[in-house]
Amino acid sequence: MRSIRPLCLCLSLALLGSAVLTSCRNGTEPTETDTGAQSSAPAETQPEQTDPDIPETEDKTMTQYNHFITDLSTFPLSFTYDGTPYTGFGADFCETARESRDNGRGGTATVITMTHTPSGAEFRLETAVYPGYSAWDYTLYITNKSGARTGVFSDINAVDLHVRGSDPTVKGISGDCGKDMYSPYEQKLRRGRDFVRESVSGRPTHGVFPYFKLEYGEGGSFVCIGWSGTWRAQAQAEDGGARFTGGQRGLATYLEPGETIRTPLIAILNYDTRDDIRNANLWRRWFIDCNMRRVDGELMPPMFTDWTMSQGTSTDRIVRKIRGYENHGVPLDCYWMDAGWYTNALGQTVEWTQTGTLAIDEAHISWDGKALYSADMSANTKPVRLVYTAGAADKGIPGGFYV
């Protein structure tokens, strides 16, 4: 087994402001140190909290969140280390630092640093809670700061959540591949009838989608796995409720000195009815207010775009399509080239589903200097997207084709 460094898509949380706590989980009380830092977020980025319907659920969420970060042995995460199972961060963990700050998006971010005694690894738990939205999220980072290889970390459930309530049910949607693309589903949890979903192709939304509604009693929780690779999720009925687990699929690795792995970002938003439309709007409100990118304090404006599958197309066809818009006085802000622009490892044209290289398939897409891309695509570490943009003369951005 070998350590891996997974890439992820996650909600970026800036830490902006206020107190530091340090302690060790050996019975001593934390000590607080005021850093004197103030939030530097501009006023226009602070979302308005206008929904009058969530105070009761908000109280439950704050109680839940405060319980988890106060008694870390109850935190809803589990893993195995060299054959020993762990749930939460209990006796084998020593808390070394804690810092809480206003994140400038209607929430409070808290970073908790611990040492796992058996492995010597540093565990850094980055969390954020949004009191006006009944939501919270977190990501765990594990770093080997010792001079020796660790044992094996495996079976990492980034979320291992137990809930109480009658008639537990999982709701969600299918992914973007197959005859039932994005269609909703619902499965009631019963003994011997577990709910299981897995992403196995390397695309996180191929036929499956990592956002779930776990309902129990009169309400429930959105439980979402923020991960751009393969993942798994499972829910099962328990006495008086249900258990939900999820995380990376098949992760088992040691860490060499200096190496780090991380879990997916887990987002949880609680609600107190089984009204699908209302609950979707609660999620939408939190996602827009607290997570979507802002430029100069404002949400990015809508863009007018078109797209094509790259497979089976050519430069001439794409340019004709773009010129057709321009000739009718409808300039595009952006032109998206979807899957199929690449070759396989042998440099051959392949079906769009066979990803794995960053080499442009110039047998079909030859840009003749119009695009800006490196001849040595292996040097790139980020996903490549080929786009056409009309540009913005007032900002010195020329129109044309870009990677």
Side-chain angles (χ1 to χ4, degrees), residues 139-167:
T139 307
L140 175 68
Y141 297 81
I142 305 174
T143 301
N144 181 6
K145 292 198 169 183
S146 74
R149 177 189 293 178
T150 68
V152 175
F153 294 95
S154 61
D155 304 321
I156 302 177
N157 288 312
V159 58
D160 191 338
L161 182 67
H162 295 262
V163 297
R164 304 283 295 175
S166 60
D167 190 25

Side-chain angles (χ1 to χ4, degrees), residues 259-390:
E259 289 188 325
T260 298
I261 57 174
R262 55 156 290 177
T263 68
L265 183 143
I266 301 297
I268 297 173
L269 185 149
N270 298 318
Y271 50 86
D272 56 10
T273 72
R274 294 203 182 193
D275 182 334
D276 288 339
I277 294 176
R278 176 182 179 274
N279 297 335
N281 282 328
L282 291 176
W283 172 269
R284 183 178 292 112
R285 175 174 169 263
W286 173 69
F287 194 86
I288 293 173
D289 286 357
C290 304
N291 298 286
M292 288 184 67
R293 182 185 176 191
R294 283 174 164 75
V295 178
D296 297 328
E298 300 292 335
L299 289 172
M300 294 182 67
M303 300 176 68
F304 182 69
T305 69
D306 197 359
W307 73 284
T308 186
M309 288 290 292
S310 299
Q311 181 179 319
T313 191
S314 67
T315 303
D316 289 341
R317 291 179 184 175
I318 294 170
V319 172
R320 283 203 307 271
K321 194 174 181 182
I322 293 170
R323 297 293 180 244
Y325 279 99
E326 293 180 342
N327 292 338
H328 287 81
V330 186
L332 294 172
D333 293 311
C334 178
Y335 188 88
W336 177 270
M337 292 184 61
D338 212 327
W341 51 265
Y342 36 76
T343 67
N344 63 13
L346 299 176
Q348 301 167 333
T349 298
V350 294
E351 295 291 318
W352 68 268
T353 54
Q354 299 179 43
T355 57
T357 74
L358 297 177
I360 296 172
D361 185 1
E362 296 198 8
H364 299 282
I365 304 172
S366 180
W367 296 103
D368 299 326
K370 297 177 183 177
L372 306 176
Y373 67 90
S374 167
D376 181 10
M377 299 305 292
S378 62
N380 290 280
T381 58
K382 296 182 179 180
V384 175
R385 295 292 184 265
L386 305 179
V387 299
Y388 169 86
T389 176

Side-chain angles (χ1 to χ4, degrees), residues 131-267:
Y133 299 84
S134 193
W136 62 291
D137 58 42
Y138 63 90
T139 307
L140 175 68
Y141 297 81
I142 305 174
T143 301
N144 181 6
K145 292 198 169 183
S146 74
R149 177 189 293 178
T150 68
V152 175
F153 294 95
S154 61
D155 304 321
I156 302 177
N157 288 312
V159 58
D160 191 338
L161 182 67
H162 295 262
V163 297
R164 304 283 295 175
S166 60
D167 190 25
T169 302
V170 177
K171 296 179 179 180
I173 61 172
S174 300
D176 59 358
C177 186
K179 63 182 180 181
D180 58 348
M181 293 174 62
Y182 299 107
S183 62
Y185 62 79
E186 176 177 336
Q187 180 178 326
K188 293 184 179 298
L189 300 179
R190 300 293 184 263
R191 293 286 189 179
R193 189 169 179 262
D194 294 357
F195 168 87
V196 179
R197 289 291 187 276
E198 288 187 304
S199 165
V200 299
S201 71
R203 297 178 178 85
T205 60
H206 249 207
V208 289
F209 206 83
Y211 287 20
F212 308 95
K213 289 191 289 186
L214 175 62
E215 301 200 327
Y216 46 93
E218 295 182 354
S221 304
F222 284 93
V223 184
C224 304
I225 302 171
W227 194 247
S228 60
T230 59
W231 54 266
R232 56 179 172 74
Q234 181 172 355
Q236 58 194 114
E238 295 184 323
D239 289 339
R243 178 190 182 193
F244 186 98
T245 58
Q248 291 112 317
R249 180 176 179 270
L251 175 62
T253 183
Y254 56 79
L255 295 179
E256 295 285 5
E259 289 188 325
T260 298
I261 57 174
R262 55 156 290 177
T263 68
L265 183 143
I266 301 297

